[in-house]
Amino acid sequence: MHRSLRSAVVLASVTAMLAATAVPVVAVPTGVAVPTGVAPSGGRLGCATPADPTHFRCFAHRRAASTTLRSGGKPAGFGPADLRSAYRLPRSSTDATIAIVAAYDNPNAESDLAVYRATFGLPPCTSANGCFRKVNQLGAPAPLPAADAGWAGEISLDLAMVSAACPTCRILLVEADDASMNLLTAVGTAVGLGAPYVSMSWGTAEEPLEAVIDGPVFDHPGVVFTAASGDSGYVAGPVYPASSPRVTAVGGTTLARSHTPRGWTESAWPGSGSGCSAYLARPSFQRGRTPCASRATADVAAIGDPDAGVAVYQTYGDTGWGIDGGTSAGAPFIAGVYALAGAAGHARTANSYPYRARAGLFDVVSGSTGDCAETRLCTAVRGWDGPTGLGTPNGIAAFAPHR
């Protein structure tokens, strides 16, 4: 583990001491009021809400187990071909490694992934052929953490979405001992093992500690980090690590087929998290683009609505095929889009790429996550907005480095 990350984890274990440290609070824009009501999120939560508020929770939702078959014998829910059509992704040829960081163990992760990929005609990704690797938070194949049914569903969703976006990418699954700051240890392990793309479908409410640990954990030039923006709409505020200025915050949309030239339409999913960070500064590429004086989320978005979700195969804690969603679906998918674009290695903050792009995004202009004084923070509008950021992928151009 990197020495800097080890220091960050030590700092995280003494939160009480850090609470007395003078950590700057970044001003949020004037006139922004707490919204009324709680945004609906859809489906059932994949992970239980942690009893410890300092722990992270995953943002996967499962609408229901499903045995319904579509034409061709495929399970209900959007599959890889649907998503690649909706987001106009090119043929996958890269074998770049995408790391999925999650808590606890999914003992059936590899076998369930094999069923998903075979069902949708994707090439095998196994430990035997070197495509799939599972390790604990220190990078060893054993001992693995205790198994957990909720987080197993998160892992199955993440593996499916990475596979859908980039079928030829290698997958590194790093499992933390639990949902505490050990997840940040696992992030460091993913980086240390050489993964240029790291996906995190989990988060927690902001607190001053993040201003202390953010640099040591996420300041890794040449590594692309993606994180789910949260699943409780604007009312819950931004979540960390999506609120890190070094991480691409991924919101959620409702995706549907349509008779438009694109063949698809999208609106903001009501559960998509957004807001202005209370502790982290605004990155330069967001100046003039958002109403926040601090870091704003989200940056981009992808499918998230579990009521119109993706097909996922999970046998630990569930019975097989189901339909899943949440901003947990978007984070690994966008990591795969970055991999297709060859984004790693060229910039300190890959989340700046979409802000510099003149094309390559579908602007989402309908849907809301609640009421707020600053409309753009909770309602999809032209240009940047909180629920969907700058929009969703239209190919890979917006996720490629701009030299």
Side-chain angles (χ1 to χ4, degrees):
M1 181 169 54
H2 291 298
R3 184 176 301 172
S4 60
L5 181 65
R6 190 186 305 276
S7 299
V9 174
V10 171
L11 287 171
S13 69
V14 290
T15 307
M17 180 183 71
L18 287 173
T21 304
V23 178
V25 177
V26 181
V28 297
T30 58
V32 176
V34 175
T36 58
V38 177
S41 55
R44 62 175 170 82
L45 299 179
C47 303
T49 300
D52 187 332
T54 67
H55 283 206
F56 299 93
R57 56 153 294 192
C58 78
F59 296 123
H61 291 245
R62 173 153 282 207
R63 190 181 81 186
S66 175
T67 57
T68 303
L69 297 182
R70 300 184 297 164
S71 60
K74 297 296 189 291
F78 292 126
D82 299 315
L83 299 177
R84 295 176 69 80
S85 167
Y87 297 116
R88 296 182 178 175
L89 299 186
R91 182 183 179 88
S92 174
S93 59
T94 178
D95 65 352
T97 296
I98 300 175
I100 297 298
V101 176
Y104 300 104
D105 179 39
N106 178 346
N108 299 348
E110 184 173 357
S111 58
D112 285 356
L113 178 62
V115 172
Y116 176 88
R117 293 176 71 103
T119 299
F120 289 109
L122 305 182
C125 186
T126 66
S127 54
N129 68 13
C131 175
F132 179 81
R133 183 182 180 189
K134 180 167 74 169
V135 298
N136 63 24
Q137 67 182 39
L138 298 180
L144 293 172
D148 180 87
W151 279 89
E154 176 63 68
I155 290 169
S156 293
L157 171 60
D158 292 352
L159 296 178
M161 293 302 284
V162 163
S163 299
C166 187
T168 59
C169 281
R170 299 175 186 269
I171 301 174
L172 170 65
L173 173 59
V174 185
E175 297 179 331
D177 287 350
D178 53 34
S180 71
M181 292 293 177
N182 282 320
L183 277 165
L184 300 184
T185 299
V187 169
T189 294
V191 174
L193 291 175
Y197 306 93
V198 180
S199 174
M200 303 164 289
S201 291
W202 39 267
T204 189
E206 287 199 301
E207 59 177 85
L209 176 63
E210 67 197 51
V212 179
I213 66 174
D214 189 69
V217 176
F218 293 114
D219 189 7
H220 293 286
V223 179
V224 176
F225 297 98
T226 62
S229 72
D231 58 6
S232 298
Y234 175 75
V235 68
V239 297
Y240 188 80
S243 60
S244 167
R246 300 171 174 89
V247 172
T248 299
V250 184
T253 67
T254 298
L255 178 70
R257 296 184 182 277
S258 72
H259 295 294
T260 62
R262 176 187 173 187
W264 301 84
T265 185
E266 285 181 282
S267 59
W269 174 50
S272 186
S274 64
C276 306
S277 175
Y279 306 108
L280 296 169
R282 178 180 59 194
S284 60
F285 54 81
Q286 283 195 325
R287 286 181 191 146
R289 305 298 291 271
T290 82
C292 299
S294 57
R295 163 66 166 146
T297 60
D299 294 309
V300 293
I303 184 172
D305 187 350
D307 288 332
V310 297
V312 175
Y313 191 76
Q314 176 195 352
T315 58
Y316 186 81
D318 219 307
T319 58
W321 288 108
I323 300 174
D324 289 19
T327 52
S328 281
F333 188 79
I334 292 298
V337 176
Y338 270 117
L340 291 175
H346 297 282
R348 205 170 200 86
T349 51
N351 57 349
S352 68
Y353 297 167
Y355 290 86
R356 297 170 182 167
R358 296 187 177 181
L361 293 165
F362 292 114
D363 193 1
V364 181
V365 297
S366 65
S368 174
T369 63
D371 298 323
C372 56
E374 174 53 68
T375 302
R376 284 192 293 163
L377 290 175
C378 59
T379 302
V381 297
R382 292 193 179 279
W384 183 91
D385 57 71
T388 68
L390 296 167
T392 61
N394 178 4
I396 60 174
F399 299 87
H402 297 270
R403 298 179 179 86

